[in-house]
């Protein structure tokens, strides 16, 4: 028995209580170091020992409980963090230094960087942190919802082909391509060739002032991507990984076989035909007593659940170096298994970036990157995997899948189950390598001379093997056959730059001059054979030579450019920039080969004026911008001005078929650039010590000389090359806000953006006001929907008899179209295609919007991204929109909302049931089938937790360890057709997918 047990207890309690007894109250004030009169309101004060947190009040004062040996941590947005040792003091006043990294934030622009405060053009910047840990399989998906003025539309979730289309500030042409130019570390590339894991920053050049330095290829905007680079110090190893599963965002709800049969009988009755199914048949469909002969098979649902949908991504990065040489090596593996069996995509990426300081004034940058990818898909006799999905939409539940005896049910030549089970396949392999080197020399202070060379090599090899498939004893699809496609291409880039920067008192200027040249070439081959001895051999030589075919092609183009830029600043208040570029391209004839593209812009930092500076404590920066410039577009094919001779124009002579050649397209020797003139007015502002940022722009973009394939009579006997005859205008405004706040240990960020874009065709060829075949109308957006105006449904025969005559055999329950005009310009009692159709919809989104929300609290982090498009319409057709179309299915919403004699609702959402086809009167393009395609999507949501340093660094000997869960495309809000996503493409399709993931970030 120990003596004095209570004494030990008292000692233990005293020791445990000591920190509490030793606490004292510390007070003080927090001010800005560069202005002692500027108190910092809401600054955070943290006690390391007690974990107490306090915030400064409206006088910059604080009060916090701390120990005598404590350390206080002072933080404030836009200022450098500061730690102060208490050392027994009760009053501690602190001055925080502005974080120069925030104040001197730079943005990547054409052929260089600029301080964000000095920008006079419209440039949006996106950092890697905005992309991290999202399950992005293609880099084109990365911009979705993150920046104003940019329409990003992903129409498919097809593995390996799920990239998004990007339009910057409206579609500027209806003839030449509308995609933006993409620059990766100074080299023009395809956006989806970039591994999202390697992106450091993305800059979107939206106006002519920022994009004119790229001249003839910048009319549709420019996206500049800068990859990550190494940092000096000991080697750092980063591992980022996620795994998850995909499923369709939306799928239609079809009736089961019993419901299908009942509705089929009703449709027959509506057409005066006998019933297709007896009550006994319907009961067998319902009770499934004979599933082979009376099946109930949801073909589309089964098909899109036959694959695992598993997706995973692993990225491993090594970086380090010293003051002389820095390096970063990154490798990535992406695996994406589709919703359909036998469909997958695998991609292997690598990147090596090396920066070497050869001498004090001589540096070398080397960038090497590449990937190899493989896509596998099932195919069928009349198309690829998407056509299998499309026909699964058509095939009703009354057709069996795989029967008990191993045969297959089918409709015509289609059986999704048989084609997926067969040995048919499509296998595509792509390889890409991009290498570049840049040598920069500074002979004198302020002057940098540099040269860059880049080499891009890419190749593809695709095999499409169609096996002979026996559905049952009565139906065999064949013969088996193989198509092989292969090709290769190169692009060589050479650049030379000279940059000179000088500051003389209040005058600062930078001069840039340069030249560049690109040469592109490619070739492709195709071979076809059929009648293989079995379905196990899939090489060309194994098949019969009878009926075999071969073909090949090649193309090349080149462009040479000279360019320059002047940046001038006076007193850090008045900014001016001028760009000029001249391009010569092989795509155009010598007379119109060269184009000159200038731009001018100015900025006024009003907040630096004496009448405003230091007068408004809540205003930090306020800048006005204005710009004008002219850009070009050359994306019209390789040889539009030449008389091209097409081979394969075989002809009969003397009873034999002989090979021939002919000119099949007229040339245009006067073809030249499309020209786009853009005017932009903008403002940039920061408020409340940088917590709130605002960027707003108004723009007017006019394209003239649109390269357009004029519609001609078939009597000509040839196609036509594009001619410079059209015009397009895009006007609009965009606003982006950014709000950040720290409240104790809680940090929040809110970044909404909104854009309005009005697109308008201003000119067509030869003074025409419309080209109906191309859906082009002067005064209307590109790609409008042209059709009839529906006036509900006919309710009875008297309604049919008294209403204006229709362009089809109208009946009660079918769509009635309005008589809106006639030969004399007024309604004439007859609805026809000439006088009674009009523009009824617009496929070009008018609005884009996005919202990025972030929060961090004591190791936990949360982020969500909302994205949407608005102000546009879509119309589905064929099997997706119409019940029993060409023998197709019926959806639940069609059955629930159909017109019937018992309920003759003029405003029913679906007409009476009949058999429909492409020539049916009710399926003509009209407002009846039009739907608002606007949507708001929860593009990404993520919750993570970073383990504390005491565990990670001290025990695990790591730098960082974070776990997270996330979702992509998790929710969508719209008023589109039920079961269909408005962003998805029509016709044969692959559904957009939602993905749920579990991931980790580890650093060593």
């Amino acid at each position: 028995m120990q003596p004095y047990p209570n004494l030990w207890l008292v000692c233990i309690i005293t020791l445990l209580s000591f920190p509490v007894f030793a606490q004292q109250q510390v007070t003080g004030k927090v001010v800005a170091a560069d202005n002692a009169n500027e108190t910092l309101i809401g600054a955070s004060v943290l006690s390391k020992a007690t974990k107490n947190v306090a915030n400064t009040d409206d006088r910059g004062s604080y009060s916090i409980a701390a120990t005598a040996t404590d350390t206080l941590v002072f933080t404030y947005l836009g200022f450098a963090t500061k730690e102060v040792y208490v050392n027994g003091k009760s009053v501690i006043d602190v001055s925080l230094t502005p974080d120069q990294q925030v104040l001197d934030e730079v943005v990547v622009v054409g052929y260089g960087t600029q301080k964000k405060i000095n920008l006079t053009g419209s440039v949006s910047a996106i950092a890697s942190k905005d992309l991290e840990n999202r399950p992005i399989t293609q880099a084109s998906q990365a911009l979705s919802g993150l920046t104003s003025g940019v329409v990003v539309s992903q129409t498919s979730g097809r593995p390996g082909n799920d990239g998004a289309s990007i339009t910057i500030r409206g579609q500027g042409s209806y003839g030449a391509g509308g995609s933006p130019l993409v620059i990766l570390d100074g080299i023009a590339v395809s956006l989806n060739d970039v591994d999202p894991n390697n992106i450091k920053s993305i800059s979107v050049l939206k106006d002519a002032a920022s994009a004119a330095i790229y001249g003839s290829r910048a009319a549709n905007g420019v996206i500049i991507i800068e990859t990550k680079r190494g940092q000096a110090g000991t080697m750092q190893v980063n591992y980022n990984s996620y795994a998850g599963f995909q499923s369709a965002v939306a799928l239609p709800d079809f009736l089961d076989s019993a419901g299908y049969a009942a509705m089929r009988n009703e449709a027959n009755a509506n057409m005066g035909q006998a019933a297709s199914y007896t009550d006994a048949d319907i009961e067998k469909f319902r009770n499934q007593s004979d599933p082979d002969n009376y099946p109930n098979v949801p073909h589309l649902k089964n098909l899109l659940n036959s694959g695992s949908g598993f997706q995973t991504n692993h990225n491993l990065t090594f970086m380090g170096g010293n003051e002389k040489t820095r390096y970063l090596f990154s490798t990535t593996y992406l695996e994406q298994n589709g919703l359909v069996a036998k469909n997958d995509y695998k991609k292997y990426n690598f990147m090596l970036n090396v920066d070497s300081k050869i001498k004090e004034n001589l540096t070398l940058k080397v960038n090497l990157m590449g990937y190899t990818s493989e896509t596998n898909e099932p195919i069928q006799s009349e198309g690829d995997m998407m056509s299998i999905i499309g026909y699964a939409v058509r095939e009703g539940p009354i057709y069996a899948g795989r029967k008990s005896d191993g045969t297959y049910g089918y409709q015509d030549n289609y059986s999704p189950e048989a084609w997926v089970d067969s040995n048919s396949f499509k296998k595509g392999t792509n390889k890409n390598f991009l290498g570049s080197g840049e040598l920069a020399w500074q002979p004198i202070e302020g002057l940098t001379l540099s040269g860059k060379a880049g080499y891009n090599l890419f190749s593809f090899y695709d095999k499409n093997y169609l096996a002979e498939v026996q559905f049952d004893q009565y139906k065999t699809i064949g013969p088996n056959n193989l198509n092989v496609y292969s090709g290769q291409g190169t692009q060589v880039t050479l650049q030379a730059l000279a940059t000179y920067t000088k500051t003389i008192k209040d005058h600062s200027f930078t001069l840039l001059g340069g030249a560049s040249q690109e040469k592109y070439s490619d070739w492709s081959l195709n071979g076809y054979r059929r009648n293989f001895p079995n379905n196990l051999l899939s090489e060309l030589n194994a098949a019969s030579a009878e009926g075999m075919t071969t073909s090949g092609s090649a193309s090349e183009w080149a462009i040479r450019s000279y360019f320059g830029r002047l940046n001038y600043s006076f007193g850090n208040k008045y900014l001016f920039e001028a760009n000029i570029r001249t391009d010569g391209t092989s795509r155009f004839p010598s007379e119109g080969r060269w184009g000159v593209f200038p731009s001018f812009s100015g900025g006024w930092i009003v907040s630096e004026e004496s009448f405003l500076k230091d007068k408004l404590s809540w205003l930090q920066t306020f800048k006005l911008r204005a710009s004008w410039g002219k850009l070009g577009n050359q994306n019209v094919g390789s040889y539009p001005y030449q008389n091209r001779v097409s081979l394969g124009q075989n002809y009969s002579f003397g009873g034999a078929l002989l090979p021939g050649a002919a000119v099949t397209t007229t040339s245009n020797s006067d073809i030249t650039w499309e020209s786009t003139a853009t005017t932009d007015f903008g403002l940039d502002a920061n408020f409340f010590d940088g917590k709130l940022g605002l960027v707003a722009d108004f723009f007017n973009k006019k394209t003239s000389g649109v390269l357009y394939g004029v519609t001609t009579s078939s009597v000509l006997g040839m196609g036509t090359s594009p001619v410079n005859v059209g015009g397009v205008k895009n006007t609009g405004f965009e606003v982006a806000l950014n709000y950040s706040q720290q409240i104790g240990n809680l940090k929040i960020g809110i970044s909404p953006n909104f854009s309005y874009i009005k697109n308008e065709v201003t000119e067509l060829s030869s003074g025409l006001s419309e080209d109906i075949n191309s859906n082009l109308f002067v005064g209307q957006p590109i790609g409008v929907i042209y059709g009839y105006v529906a006036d509900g449904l006919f309710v009875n025969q008297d309604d049919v008899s008294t209403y204006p005559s229709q362009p089809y055999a109208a009946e009660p329950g079918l769509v009635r179209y309005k008589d809106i005009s006639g030969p004399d310009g007024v309604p004439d009692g007859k609805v026809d295609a000439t006088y009674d159709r009009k523009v009824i919809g617009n496929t070009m989104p008018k609005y884009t919007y996005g919202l990025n929300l972030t929060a961090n609290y004591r190791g936990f982090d949360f982020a969500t991204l909302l994205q949407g498009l608005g102000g546009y319409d879509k119309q589905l057709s064929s099997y997706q929109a119409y019940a029993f179309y060409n023998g197709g299915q019926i959806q639940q919403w069609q059955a629930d909302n159909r017109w019937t004699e018992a309920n003759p609702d003029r405003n029913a959402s679906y007409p009476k049931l009949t058999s429909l086809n492409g020539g049916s009167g009710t399926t003509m393009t009209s407002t009846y089938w039009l739907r608002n395609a606007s949507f708001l999507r929860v593009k990404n949501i993520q919750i993570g937790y970073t383990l504390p340093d005491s565990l990670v660094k001290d025990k695990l000997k790591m730098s960082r360890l974070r776990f997270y869960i996330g979702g992509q495309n998790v929710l969508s809000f719209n008023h589109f057709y039920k079961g269909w996503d408005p962003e998805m493409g029509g016709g044969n399709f692959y559904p957009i997918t939602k993905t749920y993931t579990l991931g980790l970030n580890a650093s060593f």
Side-chain angles (χ1 to χ4, degrees), residues 188-268:
V189 298
S190 172
L191 182 54
N192 288 327
D193 289 340
V194 183
D195 181 3
N197 293 284
N198 294 331
I199 295 175
K200 176 185 177 182
S201 67
I202 301 176
S203 294
V204 183
L205 314 187
K206 296 184 284 189
D207 68 340
S210 56
I213 197 71
Y214 292 106
S216 66
R217 304 164 72 185
N220 300 310
V222 181
I223 297 174
I224 301 179
I225 300 175
E226 185 181 35
T227 57
K228 298 173 181 177
R229 309 199 73 83
Q231 299 177 1
T234 57
M235 179 187 288
Q236 300 178 41
V237 180
N238 297 312
Y239 173 67
N240 301 296
S241 172
Y242 70 78
F245 291 90
Q246 309 164 76
S247 61
V249 165
L251 284 179
D253 183 16
F254 293 108
L255 266 63
D256 62 14
S257 55
Y260 174 96
M263 292 298 100
R264 180 67 263 179
N265 285 347
E266 180 179 314
N268 288 2

Side-chain angles (χ1 to χ4, degrees), residues 886-941:
N886 195 23
Q889 298 202 65
I890 177 171
Q891 299 172 49
Q892 188 67 54
W893 74 267
Q894 296 165 338
D896 292 343
N897 298 281
R898 71 191 189 280
W899 183 98
T900 64
E901 290 184 358
N903 182 27
D905 182 2
R906 185 183 305 282
N907 298 312
S909 299
Y910 195 84
K912 75 175 180 180
L913 297 178
T914 60
S915 291
L916 299 175
N917 54 52
S920 300
T922 55
T923 64
M924 291 188 289
T925 302
S926 74
T927 55
Y928 187 82
W929 301 107
L930 209 60
R931 297 292 186 274
N932 182 354
S934 303
F935 68 89
L936 174 65
R937 192 186 305 281
V938 181
K939 195 68 179 176
N940 183 260
I941 187 167

Side-chain angles (χ1 to χ4, degrees), residues 441-456:
W441 178 43
Q442 291 183 303
I444 60 173
E445 183 179 356
L447 176 63
T448 301
L449 305 177
S450 65
K452 180 189 289 283
Y455 181 75
N456 187 196

